[in-house]
């Protein structure tokens, strides 16, 4: 993983010192809140519903044990003993006191972390496939590309005040676990005639106007990628609307201008900018790539894994549900669920962070990932250690075997924390999870992605959920709309709204009716919910939701 250079360290320390002085001026009244707001946002500090919130960048979701332990320390010392992992592979601390934030930032700098560009109209934290560098079938590890983009975009003098926030995601695997089509720029690494490059998508995004990104270029060679990206952002910076923040994202620019005209302008801008790079970016990429060399994977067999797997049904369910194939046959990729039934999705206590850090250092080459699905990952775990790791995770309440199932729900903070939210998200996720756990239907239902947002900003990615739930305010009453058939994978699509919304106390029964209908119409357990939906369409599910047997359940939304 990338290690800070002396320049990086000095840069971050100087930013912390600058912000410390700004905080002091805010506390003594020299700065008004309006004057302070753009300064704090440049350093990842929000003012939420009840308190400040500090959003810390975890570039492309990669951590080591020292960094995770430092996050645990920060949670205990300056917050309420936990952190919240987000769909941007960041971590948020929801209760810091303003006077403590500079000390928190100094503590982050001690381990090569910061909160720069986790807010504001700039290029945000670059995200990537959480299985990067580990997954079988990967074209290439996308993290060196993501790190190059991070370094290029940090304090880029031309792109600090874009029309609106700008998000980039990179994947190196055909399965696209980074939801690239729902980003302002999505990069999918591909090889053409032996040459590594990227397919470039532009104009994706969710929120009040959800759109799937369009292919801007089928193939951009790696040597041209950074000047090409700079050309894309430069064209957006010029064309993007600044008269209406709701129409300022690049997805609206692409929609209003047309992808062909955008492509023409980008290619012209690229031709002008490419000579200015003179190969410096490639030298930097080579140095970065060397820091992402894979571990020297131990080839010591699987130990007593087979015996434990065959003799312990709890362990077997955990392995079957929470592991994925690794590029090395003696290893697995282990996903650690932060979705225990009834828990807040994405929350992790300081003690749990330390437990994962200890396991990563002892067994898993000292590497941890944060997934956009609000879970943690040990990307390189020898099979012979799986039983020991499982036992330790059980002690810490981290061994829930539900990755990819009905209770592995993405949920934004909703009205419990967010000043923008119009409905609760967390309690809905908790109730769905506990309901289906009590019915013992999770395994039978199989792979399913439920995503919940507490307002139209769609921080819970509900538009690309197999089942999406959007909470809205209807005359002071919470109403929940349901969308079906969304997908964030390589064939990404926006879900279709099922019909009128449901009251807070009716949303769990509504989801139950959908899944009961699915179990009745599927062609056996091998047909997933999404596959069944694509085969039969929305009509049977609308009938289950709004037919005679469900009369009176929906509101007039």
């Amino acid at each position: 993983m990338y290690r800070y250079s002396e320049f990086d360290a000095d840069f971050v320390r100087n930013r912390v010192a600058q912000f410390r002085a700004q905080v002091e001026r805010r506390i003594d009244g020299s700065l008004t809140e309006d004057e302070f707001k753009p300064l704090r946002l440049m350093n990842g500090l929000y003012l939420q519903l009840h308190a400040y919130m500090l959003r810390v960048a975890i570039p492309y979701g990669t951590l080591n044990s020292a960094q995770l332990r430092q996050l645990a320390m920060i949670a205990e010392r300056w917050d309420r003993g936990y952190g919240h992992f987000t769909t941007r592979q960041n971590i948020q601390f929801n209760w810091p006191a303003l006077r403590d934030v500079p000390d928190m930032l100094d503590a982050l700098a001690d381990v090569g972390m910061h909160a720069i560009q986790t807010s504001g109209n700039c290029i945000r934290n670059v995200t990537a496939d959480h299985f990067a560098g580990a997954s079988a079938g990967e074209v290439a590890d996308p993290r060196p590309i993501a790190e190059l983009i991070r370094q290029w975009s940090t304090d880029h003098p031309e792109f600090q005040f874009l029309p609106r926030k700008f998000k980039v995601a990179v994947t190196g695997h055909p399965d696209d676990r980074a939801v690239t089509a729902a980003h302002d720029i999505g990069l999918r690494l591909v090889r053409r005639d032996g040459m590594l490059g990227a397919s470039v998508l532009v104009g994706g995004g969710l929120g009040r106007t959800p759109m799937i990104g369009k292919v801007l270029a089928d193939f951009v060679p790696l040597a041209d990628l950074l000047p090409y990206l700079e050309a894309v952002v430069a064209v957006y910076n010029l064309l993007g609307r600044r008269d209406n923040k709701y129409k300022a994202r690049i997805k609206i620019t692409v929609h209003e201008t047309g992808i062909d005209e955008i492509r023409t302008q980008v290619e012209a801008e690229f031709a002008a900018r490419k000579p200015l790079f003179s190969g410096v970016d490639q030298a930097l990429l080579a140095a970065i790539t060397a820091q992402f060399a894979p571990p020297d994977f131990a080839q010591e067999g699987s130990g007593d894994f087979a015996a434990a797997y065959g003799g312990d049904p709890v362990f077997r369910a955990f392995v079957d549900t929470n592991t994925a194939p690794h590029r090395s046959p003696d290893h697995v990729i282990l996903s650690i669920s932060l979705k225990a039934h009834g828990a807040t999705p994405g929350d992790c206590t300081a003690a749990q962070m330390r437990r994962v850090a200890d396991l990563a250092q002892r067994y898993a080459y000292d590497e941890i990932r944060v997934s956009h699905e609000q879970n943690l990952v040990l990307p390189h775990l020898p099979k012979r250690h799986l039983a020991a790791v499982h036992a330790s995770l059980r002690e810490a309440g981290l061994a829930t075997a539900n990755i990819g199932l009905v209770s592995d729900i993405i949920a934004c903070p909703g009205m419990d924390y967010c000043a923008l939210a119009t409905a609760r998200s967390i309690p809905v996720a908790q109730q769905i999870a506990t309901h289906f756990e009590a019915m013992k239907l999770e395994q039978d239902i199989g792979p399913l992605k439920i995503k919940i947002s507490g307002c139209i900003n769609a921080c819970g990615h509900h538009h690309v959920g197999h089942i999406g739930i959007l909470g809205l305010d209807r005359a002071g009453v919470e109403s929940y709309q349901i969308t079906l058939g969304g997908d964030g994978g390589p064939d990404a699509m926006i879900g279709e709204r099922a019909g009128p919304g449901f009251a807070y106390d009716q949303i769990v029964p509504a989801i139950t009716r959908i899944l009961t209908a699915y179990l009745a119409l599927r062609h056996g357990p091998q047909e997933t919910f999404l596959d069944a939906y694509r085969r039969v369409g929305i009509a049977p599910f609308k009938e289950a939701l709004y037919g005679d047997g469900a009369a009176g359940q929906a509101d007039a939304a």
Side-chain angles (χ1 to χ4, degrees):
M1 62 184 294
Y2 181 74
R3 307 287 180 180
Y4 269 21
S5 67
E6 184 177 345
F7 173 85
D8 296 326
D10 288 344
F11 175 85
V12 172
R13 292 293 185 189
N14 288 335
R15 281 290 293 264
V16 175
Q18 181 186 63
F19 189 56
R20 185 180 295 276
Q22 293 164 351
V23 168
E24 290 171 357
R25 292 166 63 201
R26 175 69 187 106
I27 290 174
D28 70 19
S30 301
L31 288 174
T32 66
E33 173 54 31
D34 286 344
E35 293 168 331
F36 182 57
K37 181 179 179 179
L39 303 175
R40 63 172 169 79
L41 290 178
M42 290 174 66
N43 292 278
L45 188 63
Y46 289 73
L47 187 57
Q48 293 279 72
L49 191 61
H50 306 294
Y52 284 104
M53 178 270 282
L54 180 65
R55 179 181 293 155
V56 177
I58 304 176
Y60 36 88
T62 296
L63 290 164
N64 61 31
S65 60
Q67 291 171 326
L68 190 54
R69 288 192 189 97
Q70 193 78 334
L71 294 175
M73 184 278 290
I74 289 169
E76 285 186 333
R77 183 170 180 181
W78 292 300
D79 206 270
R80 295 188 177 179
Y82 73 97
H84 178 73
F85 290 100
T86 78
T87 58
R88 294 295 302 158
Q89 296 180 307
N90 294 318
I91 187 172
Q92 295 180 177
F93 295 106
N94 289 318
W95 303 98
L98 177 58
R99 65 180 177 275
D100 293 330
V101 173
D103 290 336
M104 297 169 75
L105 295 176
D106 260 332
L108 290 168
D110 288 342
V111 292
M113 299 184 74
H114 60 77
I116 298 167
Q117 292 186 198
T118 57
S119 180
N121 293 338
C122 57
I123 298 172
R124 299 284 187 90
N125 184 43
V126 181
T127 59
D129 180 356
H130 43 277
F131 291 174
S135 181
E138 186 176 61
V139 174
D141 187 341
R143 293 175 301 154
I145 307 299
E147 174 59 27
L148 179 69
I149 296 169
R150 184 195 72 82
Q151 293 193 27
W152 159 77
S153 63
T154 300
D155 257 15
H156 193 299
E158 187 178 351
F159 303 142
Q160 288 305 293
F161 298 98
L162 296 169
R164 198 69 174 89
K165 59 187 176 181
F166 201 92
K167 299 176 181 179
V168 181
V170 193
T171 185
H173 196 283
D175 286 348
D176 192 2
R177 287 176 286 260
V179 201
T180 57
H183 284 74
D184 299 286
I185 290 178
L187 301 177
R188 297 174 174 177
L189 300 185
V190 292
R191 290 191 185 273
R192 178 177 290 181
D193 300 325
M195 178 185 294
L196 183 62
S199 173
V200 180
L201 284 72
V202 67
L206 304 178
R208 66 181 62 223
T209 313
M211 295 184 182
I212 295 299
K214 297 177 173 62
V215 176
L216 186 64
D218 287 322
F219 184 81
V220 177
L222 208 55
D224 293 339
L225 187 57
L226 204 55
Y228 191 86
L229 294 184
E230 184 161 294
V232 175
V233 184
V235 168
Y236 164 60
N237 200 22
L238 179 65
L239 297 180
R241 295 180 59 170
R242 287 179 162 86
D243 61 324
N244 184 338
K245 73 175 184 178
Y246 301 118
K247 297 184 179 181
R249 297 291 292 271
I250 193 174
K251 62 186 178 182
I252 303 299
T253 305
V254 171
H255 178 72
E256 292 183 341
T257 307
I259 188 64
D260 293 334
E261 176 61 22
I262 292 290
R263 185 179 295 112
T264 297
Q265 294 197 31
V266 167
E267 289 174 354
E269 191 68 31
F270 169 66
R273 289 179 182 253
K274 181 181 176 180
L276 304 178
F277 281 74
S278 67
V280 172
D281 56 315
Q282 293 305 296
L284 178 57
L285 178 58
I288 290 170
T289 301
Q291 297 196 50
F292 286 90
D296 184 11
F297 297 124
Q299 303 298 323
E300 300 177 9
S302 57
D304 60 356
F305 167 77
Y309 182 84
D312 183 349
V314 174
F315 177 63
R316 182 163 58 251
F318 176 78
V319 172
D320 290 346
T321 308
N322 289 31
T323 66
H326 192 277
R327 58 194 288 186
S328 169
D330 288 342
H331 292 66
V332 296
I333 302 169
L334 175 65
S335 294
I336 300 170
S337 174
L338 300 183
K339 318 280 182 61
H341 300 102
T344 299
D347 277 9
C348 191
T349 69
Q352 289 173 329
M353 290 185 220
R354 290 195 182 95
R355 180 62 61 95
V356 174
D358 290 346
L359 293 173
Q361 184 175 34
R362 181 174 181 183
Y363 297 118
Y365 306 95
D366 200 27
E367 193 167 334
I368 306 108
R369 305 285 174 78
V370 181
S371 78
H372 81 273
E373 294 175 326
Q374 299 176 288
N375 294 312
L376 299 179
V377 178
L378 297 181
H380 313 295
L381 179 63
K383 282 185 180 179
R384 68 184 187 279
H385 297 316
L386 251 175
V389 168
H390 174 248
S392 183
L393 290 173
R394 287 186 72 179
E395 292 175 355
L398 289 170
T400 306
N402 66 343
I403 295 295
L405 301 181
V406 66
S407 63
D408 185 13
I409 298 170
I410 287 179
C412 74
M415 278 201 327
D416 288 293
Y417 295 97
C418 182
L420 301 177
T422 51
R424 289 168 288 178
S425 298
I426 293 170
V428 173
Q430 292 169 323
Q431 290 169 31
I432 292 172
T434 54
H435 174 74
F436 285 99
E437 164 66 6
M439 295 178 70
K440 302 302 178 187
L441 281 176
E442 277 197 288
Q443 294 291 337
D444 193 18
I445 291 169
L448 181 68
K449 295 185 183 297
I450 297 180
K451 305 178 191 289
I452 306 173
S453 299
C455 78
I456 56 175
N457 290 303
C459 294
H461 294 187
H462 68 276
H463 294 295
V464 291
H466 301 164
I467 298 176
I469 302 172
L470 168 62
L472 297 170
D473 182 305
R474 296 299 192 203
V477 177
E478 291 168 294
S479 173
Y480 293 86
Q481 292 180 356
I482 294 174
T483 55
L484 298 172
D487 184 21
D491 301 316
M493 57 194 313
I494 302 299
E496 182 178 357
R497 182 181 168 187
F502 293 86
Y504 175 78
D505 62 353
Q506 290 301 320
I507 187 63
V508 175
I511 300 302
T512 303
R513 293 197 296 278
I514 291 171
L515 293 178
T516 300
Y518 156 65
L519 292 174
L521 62 82
R522 70 182 180 181
H523 288 168
Q526 75 283 353
E527 186 176 40
T528 67
F529 175 85
L530 186 59
D531 288 341
Y533 177 84
R534 289 174 173 174
R535 174 173 58 83
V536 303
I538 199 170
F541 298 102
K542 291 183 74 167
E543 175 64 24
L545 281 171
Y546 305 109
D548 292 341
Q553 300 299 312
D555 63 27

